[in-house]
Amino acid sequence: MEHVDALRDEVRELMKVVRLVKQQYQHDNEALAPGVAGMLAVIERLAGGCRLKELAAACALDQSTTSRAVSVLVQDGLVRRVADPRDGRASFLELTDAGRDILRRSNDWYSTLLAAALSDWSRADVELLGTLLCRFRGSLNAQFATTNRNTLEATR
């Protein structure tokens, strides 16, 4: 259990650094809040666009929060609503050229930061970190899903 406690502490420290990175990102990119880049990236990743419900699920946000955020993105000209090609009654979200441009600049900012932070790491270590983070994220997601399912069943 001691090794898990040490990992818990490292995750807390990592979350602190992530908050600092987000603050610096917002300082360097005044027009773009940190969460916006993530939401734009999800829209782009979901086959170039998605429905609001899919975006909310992919961002682990409720639909009302996602809807408010998307309204701002549309107002700012970063995202547009179009008729869903599968169901013309539904709205489909896609990036505008401005949205793709700001996402590219955001990705460049983060890539530059990560490249500098990992400049003295070997390629093998960087790849190992990526593999282990992906595995860790998957394990946390699975645990979270199991915990939520058990909580829901206990309340019924």
Side-chain angles (χ1 to χ4, degrees):
M1 190 64 163
E2 194 174 298
H3 63 288
V4 173
D5 291 344
L7 178 60
R8 176 204 62 219
D9 294 343
E10 286 302 322
V11 168
R12 284 181 180 155
E13 291 300 311
L14 178 61
M15 290 170 66
K16 182 171 66 177
V17 171
V18 167
R19 284 191 302 274
L20 293 172
V21 166
K22 285 181 170 184
Q23 289 170 4
Q24 185 63 47
Y25 177 82
Q26 192 157 11
H27 178 267
D28 291 353
N29 301 278
E30 291 178 23
L32 188 64
V36 171
M39 195 169 278
L40 293 175
V42 170
I43 294 170
E44 183 75 355
R45 187 178 70 239
L46 292 174
C50 60
R51 289 182 173 187
L52 183 70
K53 184 177 182 177
E54 295 167 326
L55 179 60
C59 292
L61 296 169
D62 62 60
Q63 280 190 259
S64 63
T65 300
T66 305
S67 179
R68 286 190 301 276
V70 165
S71 292
V72 171
L73 294 174
V74 169
Q75 183 179 11
D76 290 347
L78 303 177
V79 171
R80 71 178 146 253
R81 289 185 173 102
V82 297
D84 186 326
R86 297 168 291 192
D87 178 0
R89 298 167 298 171
S91 181
F92 191 74
L93 306 171
E94 62 183 24
L95 296 183
T96 63
D97 288 342
R100 277 189 288 284
D101 181 58
I102 206 162
L103 177 60
R104 180 193 50 74
R105 286 187 281 132
S106 172
N107 287 342
D108 289 349
W109 188 93
Y110 279 107
S111 292
T112 299
L113 174 73
L114 291 173
L118 298 170
S119 65
D120 61 343
W121 288 42
S122 71
R123 181 184 182 117
D125 282 349
V126 172
E127 289 173 356
L128 178 61
L129 175 64
T131 299
L132 293 174
L133 281 174
C134 183
R135 182 177 169 194
F136 180 59
R137 178 181 43 85
S139 295
L140 280 177
N141 276 335
Q143 181 60 41
F144 185 73
T146 300
T147 302
N148 278 346
R149 189 171 41 254
N150 291 343
T151 301
L152 284 174
E153 290 171 3
T155 59
R156 291 184 184 166

